[in-house]
Amino acid sequence: MARKPADQSVNRDEIIAAAADVLQRKGYDAATMKDIAAAVNLTAASLYHHFKNKDALFLAVLEAGLTFVLDQLEPIAACDLRPDDKLRRMIACHIVGVTNNRAVGAAMVFEIRALMTLPIGINESGELDGEILAARDAFFAQRDRFEALFRQVVGEGIDQGLFRPIDAAIYVKLLLGAQNWVGVWFKPDGRLGGDEIAASMADMLISGISI
Amino acid sequence: MARKPADQSVNRDEIIAAAADVLQRKGYDAATMKDIAAAVNLTAASLYHHFKNKDALFLAVLEAGLTFVLDQLEPIAACDLRPDDKLRRMIACHIVGVTNNRAVGAAMVFEIRALMTLPIGINESGELDGEILAARDAFFAQRDRFEALFRQVVGEGIDQGLFRPIDAAIYVKLLLGAQNWVGVWFKPDGRLGGDEIAASMADMLISGISI
Amino acid sequence: MARKPADQSVNRDEIIAAAADVLQRKGYDAATMKDIAAAVNLTAASLYHHFKNKDALFLAVLEAGLTFVLDQLEPIAACDLRPDDKLRRMIACHIVGVTNNRAVGAAMVFEIRALMTLPIGINESGELDGEILAARDAFFAQRDRFEALFRQVVGEGIDQGLFRPIDAAIYVKLLLGAQNWVGVWFKPDGRLGGDEIAASMADMLISGISI
Amino acid sequence: MARKPADQSVNRDEIIAAAADVLQRKGYDAATMKDIAAAVNLTAASLYHHFKNKDALFLAVLEAGLTFVLDQLEPIAACDLRPDDKLRRMIACHIVGVTNNRAVGAAMVFEIRALMTLPIGINESGELDGEILAARDAFFAQRDRFEALFRQVVGEGIDQGLFRPIDAAIYVKLLLGAQNWVGVWFKPDGRLGGDEIAASMADMLISGISI
DNA sequence: CATGAATGAGAGTTCATTCAT
DNA sequence: GATGAATGAACTCTCATTCAT
């Protein structure tokens, strides 16, 4: 991503793509504005024409990654398939997202702590920064929505007697952990591709609660 | 210079414990030597009497956490129980370790990328720092051992016809992801305790591959 | 952040000049980046926009000083004068350089050990830093050239029977010692000016080997 | 120097010898108390039982080096030889001192600037430290005496018509520069030994002013 | 839009020095 | 005497951010 040979002016999305890559490789603290700028042939100063500050850029990446997956998950959760089939597809969708899209990986795997720990949305004057706070809240809302989708489908499965009456909340945490973790160990040139891993894991994960 | 009559002198282990806490809360980059020092009522400079540098302290934490769990896992893996029972205990042991011991959480969840990315073990003279390199290698060896123990027990289960012939490597990644992830969302004052989460998850995870 | 409307932006050469002064007064270790920055009305952090690090700035000063003298010495050594006249001019040129140009003094007198001892050219990642290593090698090459010029002219004098057949290498070390040392004790407001000292010393030094 | 296998308690002179070595190798700023302590199998803290502080230790080294040479120079200057012979011996004595005795090298070559620049004798409270100031003044007095001895003998030579009526002060600066500089480039395993260099240089230096 | 220059804040690290043991 | 532990001060260097051009 962010191939952009140069010259042409750079747009928001290219920066987000580049930032996602840097972010997943280095993490929030180690990823510098200069790193990200270099990835799109800009100087760090120029990034501030596109994003208010590092937090804003950071949140834009997470939002992009989460939206990317969510946009695929929503229709699946809403469709007419059986809950176990829906869940299978959702799991695969998530895992493939993590392996194939840097922004998804960044949004899912690494930066949760940073988001919760960092004094994001508090500017240097100590005042709360409305825009950024709003973006952060929107991100958290999306995350909740994300998790809720899984819980909902699992709930449907339990209700329809397809799944055992397990603790859906815990099960979803388990799911997400296993799926997000793929972003930690997945190597593009490894033995298995993202879709194979997804299929394999979906099987094990769903068998675990199927009747 | 040299104030501090010192109510009670601080030792290595106390520092490691404090560092584990800070590390799990903030991550490697965001956790400063000052943070850690403050947690044991010292100045940052004083930490350098006990640890060569941040990397060394960091590795000591990870080593402590990993050893803590490994010391419990080894006997389980080696005992005479049925593979599924062994696996159940090992999963529980890991999860409870993550929820109850900050060093375990730090060792498991967060610092994988840092460990692999950071120029650990290269000192200021540009020479490889034997001590630290050795510690890092030891840590990686322990991690391999850790994962291998799970693979071994899963393999036994497959051999004995207790588990389906799944891809043990992928399954163990799934296990570890789900288990490590607990460190991300677990709250000591939450609805469920670590042991309850452990029991619940162990059930779902083992059912997933049981015949 | 980013105060300073800046009356007049500072350039590399001004920094080098200021650094030369601080360097000759305090020496490598005692001269801090803050000292140098203050001398050009900057903060220490700003220096890093112009020089990669202290070593790079340090080497730039030495290079400037050495080049300054060498550029004057080369034509003299190459001209058609008698060897003793050439040597006289070269000695004077060196001494006046030392007394009138801080960078020359710094390059000549103080920093030899530092240059040879310090882990210059090894960056924080432990990799050899090509740029800085090249600068250091260039400096040493220039120093060799510098000394070789004197040896050459002395050799010519011996060949032409103007000088006694002394050990030219030792004699040149003696020359350089006497000349460099002027940088240690010379005071701009002393009894004699740089040119007077130069004339006086050139006389004594050349008489010492003249037939 | 400072061979001391260990065990036995260490005395002032051994510390001074070790410090001289470290000092000449690293210079004042780079030589740490720990370095020096390690050379005599002590900890840095222990050095403070023997010397008030780094400055005091440092001055003791310089004093030792200077005294060592001065004790040899005084009798020569005072004896009945011809001025040119006395000067020859004094030059040789100085050069051999520099090449064979680390404390002499330290006292002569490197640390003059440090002595003049550093806020020696000013303790952290900003108060002048009498003891150290006295030591520093004594050192400077010795240095003056040192230089005066050379000037005196040169003066005798001029008076007796053996030397040209040159500017004795400048000539002595030249002498000292050439001689001290030997400490910069001398290598124990080089082509010439200290005594050979001394003989060669003495010849050139004295010829330079002989009638 | 883009950027070079500048900077405050802060991080890791070192070091001389002190003090209780 | 010797030392382990502790610390204030200082240093090099990095980084997010600003602003004039």
Side-chain angles (χ1 to χ4, degrees):
Chain A
M1 308 139 199
R3 279 301 89 80
K4 215 76 221 317
D7 282 345
Q8 296 297 332
S9 91
V10 181
N11 64 39
R12 247 182 94 94
D13 287 344
E14 291 175 271
I15 295 174
I16 289 178
D21 186 56
V22 177
L23 223 43
Q24 185 166 19
R25 273 192 289 109
K26 301 200 173 186
Y28 178 76
D29 291 294
T32 69
M33 292 299 271
K34 208 176 158 190
D35 286 337
I36 296 168
V40 287
N41 280 332
L42 287 180
T43 60
S46 300
L47 293 180
Y48 289 82
H49 286 291
H50 301 276
F51 296 91
K52 182 166 189 171
N53 56 31
K54 192 181 178 184
D55 284 345
L57 169 49
F58 168 58
L59 281 166
V61 171
L62 299 193
E63 203 272 339
L66 198 44
T67 299
F68 179 86
V69 182
L70 211 39
D71 283 352
Q72 299 177 271
L73 251 38
E74 295 268 12
I76 301 176
C79 78
D80 276 341
L81 292 171
R82 287 170 33 156
D84 53 347
D85 286 334
K86 290 204 281 191
L87 186 56
R88 184 176 312 276
R89 291 193 188 192
M90 287 169 71
I91 291 172
C93 175
H94 183 180
I95 291 179
V96 172
V98 165
T99 60
N100 293 6
N101 184 315
R102 310 293 271 168
V104 177
M108 292 298 156
V109 183
F110 288 123
E111 303 312 330
I112 292 85
R113 182 195 46 233
L115 249 193
M116 303 195 300
T117 301
L118 260 57
I120 280 182
I122 302 181
N123 65 24
E124 75 272 12
S125 323
E127 295 156 16
L128 291 176
D129 183 322
E131 276 181 68
I132 297 197
L133 276 186
R136 192 194 58 176
D137 289 347
F139 177 78
F140 281 134
Q142 268 187 311
R143 275 198 80 82
D144 288 346
R145 172 84 187 126
F146 184 83
E147 208 161 328
L149 276 183
F150 277 96
R151 271 200 306 271
Q152 171 200 314
V153 172
V154 170
E156 292 171 10
I158 296 174
D159 290 346
Q160 299 181 19
L162 292 166
F163 298 153
R164 294 190 280 132
I166 38 82
D167 186 324
I170 293 292
Y171 176 67
V172 169
K173 294 290 191 192
L174 183 158
L175 274 189
L176 296 183
Q179 293 161 13
N180 290 338
W181 197 251
V182 176
V184 174
W185 56 267
F186 178 74
K187 295 276 179 290
D189 53 352
R191 175 167 62 92
L192 300 176
D195 49 350
E196 294 166 311
I197 293 167
S200 184
M201 284 202 167
D203 168 58
M204 301 174 196
L205 288 167
I206 294 177
S207 302
I209 59 170
S210 295
I211 295 225
Chain B
M1 305 131 200
R3 294 304 109 72
K4 180 90 185 309
D7 37 52
Q8 207 66 188
S9 94
V10 180
N11 64 36
R12 242 184 99 95
D13 288 342
E14 292 177 74
I15 295 175
I16 289 179
D21 185 55
V22 177
L23 222 42
Q24 185 167 17
R25 275 190 291 110
K26 302 203 174 186
Y28 179 77
D29 290 296
T32 70
M33 293 300 272
K34 211 176 157 189
D35 287 337
I36 296 168
V40 286
N41 264 70
L42 286 180
T43 60
S46 299
L47 292 181
Y48 289 83
H49 277 283
H50 302 277
F51 297 91
K52 185 169 191 160
N53 55 30
K54 195 181 176 183
D55 283 345
L57 170 48
F58 169 56
L59 280 166
V61 171
L62 298 192
E63 205 273 337
L66 198 43
T67 298
F68 179 85
V69 182
L70 212 39
D71 282 351
Q72 298 176 272
L73 251 38
E74 295 268 11
I76 301 176
C79 78
D80 276 340
L81 292 172
R82 287 171 33 157
D84 53 347
D85 285 335
K86 290 204 282 190
L87 187 55
R88 185 176 313 276
R89 292 192 187 193
M90 287 169 71
I91 292 172
C93 174
H94 182 180
I95 292 178
V96 171
V98 166
T99 61
N100 294 6
N101 184 316
R102 311 294 272 165
V104 177
M108 291 299 154
V109 184
F110 290 123
E111 304 312 332
I112 293 84
R113 183 192 45 231
L115 248 194
M116 304 197 300
T117 300
L118 261 58
I120 281 181
I122 302 183
N123 68 17
E124 74 280 4
S125 324
E127 292 154 18
L128 290 177
D129 185 320
E131 277 179 69
I132 296 195
L133 273 188
R136 195 196 54 176
D137 290 347
F139 178 77
F140 281 133
Q142 270 186 310
R143 276 197 83 82
D144 289 345
R145 174 82 186 126
F146 185 81
E147 208 162 328
L149 276 184
F150 278 97
R151 272 199 307 272
Q152 170 202 314
V153 173
V154 170
E156 292 171 10
I158 295 174
D159 291 345
Q160 300 180 20
L162 292 166
F163 298 152
R164 293 190 282 131
I166 38 84
D167 186 326
I170 293 293
Y171 177 67
V172 168
K173 294 290 191 193
L174 184 157
L175 275 189
L176 296 182
Q179 293 161 14
N180 289 339
W181 198 251
V182 175
V184 175
W185 56 267
F186 178 75
K187 295 279 179 288
D189 52 353
R191 175 169 60 93
L192 301 176
D195 49 349
E196 293 165 311
I197 293 166
S200 184
M201 285 201 166
D203 168 58
M204 302 173 196
L205 288 167
I206 294 176
S207 301
I209 58 170
S210 294
I211 295 219
Chain C
M1 304 131 197
R3 294 303 109 71
K4 179 91 184 309
D7 38 51
Q8 209 64 187
S9 92
V10 180
N11 64 37
R12 243 184 98 94
D13 288 343
E14 292 177 73
I15 296 174
I16 290 179
D21 186 54
V22 177
L23 222 41
Q24 184 166 19
R25 273 190 291 111
K26 302 202 172 186
Y28 179 77
D29 290 297
T32 72
M33 292 301 270
K34 210 175 158 192
D35 287 337
I36 296 168
V40 288
N41 263 71
L42 287 181
T43 61
S46 300
L47 292 181
Y48 289 83
H49 276 283
H50 302 277
F51 297 91
K52 185 169 190 158
N53 55 32
K54 194 181 177 182
D55 283 345
L57 170 49
F58 169 56
L59 279 166
V61 170
L62 298 193
E63 204 274 337
L66 198 43
T67 298
F68 180 84
V69 181
L70 211 40
D71 283 350
Q72 298 176 274
L73 251 37
E74 295 268 12
I76 302 177
C79 77
D80 277 340
L81 291 172
R82 288 171 32 158
D84 52 347
D85 285 334
K86 291 204 281 191
L87 187 56
R88 184 176 312 275
R89 291 192 188 194
M90 288 169 70
I91 292 172
C93 174
H94 183 180
I95 291 178
V96 171
V98 166
T99 60
N100 294 6
N101 183 318
R102 308 295 272 167
V104 177
M108 291 299 155
V109 183
F110 289 122
E111 304 312 331
I112 293 83
R113 182 192 47 230
L115 247 193
M116 304 196 299
T117 300
L118 260 58
I120 281 182
I122 302 181
N123 68 18
E124 75 279 5
S125 322
E127 294 153 19
L128 290 177
D129 184 321
E131 277 179 68
I132 295 194
L133 273 188
R136 193 196 56 176
D137 289 346
F139 178 77
F140 281 133
Q142 269 186 311
R143 277 197 81 84
D144 289 345
R145 174 82 185 126
F146 185 83
E147 206 161 331
L149 276 184
F150 277 97
R151 273 200 304 272
Q152 169 201 316
V153 173
V154 169
E156 292 170 11
I158 296 175
D159 291 344
Q160 299 181 20
L162 291 167
F163 298 153
R164 293 190 282 132
I166 38 83
D167 185 326
I170 293 293
Y171 177 66
V172 169
K173 293 291 193 192
L174 182 158
L175 274 188
L176 295 183
Q179 293 161 13
N180 289 339
W181 198 250
V182 175
V184 175
W185 56 268
F186 178 75
K187 295 277 178 290
D189 53 353
R191 175 169 60 94
L192 300 176
D195 50 349
E196 293 165 312
I197 293 168
S200 184
M201 284 203 167
D203 168 59
M204 301 174 196
L205 287 166
I206 294 178
S207 301
I209 59 169
S210 295
I211 295 222
Chain D
M1 307 133 201
R3 277 303 86 83
K4 213 80 220 315
D7 282 345
Q8 296 298 331
S9 92
V10 181
N11 63 39
R12 247 183 94 94
D13 288 343
E14 291 175 88
I15 296 174
I16 290 178
D21 186 55
V22 177
L23 223 42
Q24 185 166 18
R25 275 191 290 110
K26 302 202 173 186
Y28 178 76
D29 291 293
T32 70
M33 293 298 271
K34 209 175 157 191
D35 287 336
I36 296 168
V40 288
N41 280 335
L42 286 181
T43 60
S46 300
L47 292 180
Y48 289 82
H49 286 291
H50 301 276
F51 297 91
K52 181 166 192 170
N53 55 30
K54 193 181 177 184
D55 285 344
L57 170 48
F58 168 58
L59 280 166
V61 171
L62 299 193
E63 204 272 338
L66 198 45
T67 299
F68 179 85
V69 183
L70 212 40
D71 283 351
Q72 298 176 273
L73 251 38
E74 295 268 14
I76 301 177
C79 79
D80 276 342
L81 291 173
R82 286 170 32 157
D84 52 349
D85 285 335
K86 290 204 280 192
L87 186 55
R88 183 176 313 275
R89 291 191 188 195
M90 288 168 71
I91 292 171
C93 174
H94 182 181
I95 291 178
V96 171
V98 166
T99 61
N100 293 7
N101 183 315
R102 310 294 270 167
V104 177
M108 290 298 155
V109 182
F110 288 123
E111 304 311 333
I112 293 84
R113 182 195 47 235
L115 249 193
M116 303 194 300
T117 300
L118 261 58
I120 280 182
I122 303 182
N123 65 24
E124 76 272 12
S125 323
E127 294 155 15
L128 292 177
D129 183 322
E131 275 181 69
I132 297 198
L133 276 185
R136 192 194 58 175
D137 290 346
F139 177 77
F140 281 133
Q142 267 187 311
R143 275 197 80 83
D144 288 345
R145 172 82 187 127
F146 184 82
E147 208 162 328
L149 275 184
F150 276 96
R151 271 200 306 272
Q152 170 202 316
V153 173
V154 170
E156 291 172 10
I158 295 175
D159 290 346
Q160 299 181 21
L162 291 167
F163 298 153
R164 293 190 282 130
I166 38 83
D167 185 325
I170 294 293
Y171 177 67
V172 169
K173 293 291 191 192
L174 183 158
L175 274 190
L176 295 184
Q179 293 161 13
N180 289 339
W181 198 250
V182 176
V184 174
W185 55 268
F186 178 74
K187 295 275 178 291
D189 53 353
R191 176 168 60 93
L192 301 176
D195 50 351
E196 293 165 310
I197 293 167
S200 184
M201 284 203 167
D203 168 58
M204 300 173 197
L205 288 167
I206 295 177
S207 301
I209 57 168
S210 294
I211 296 220

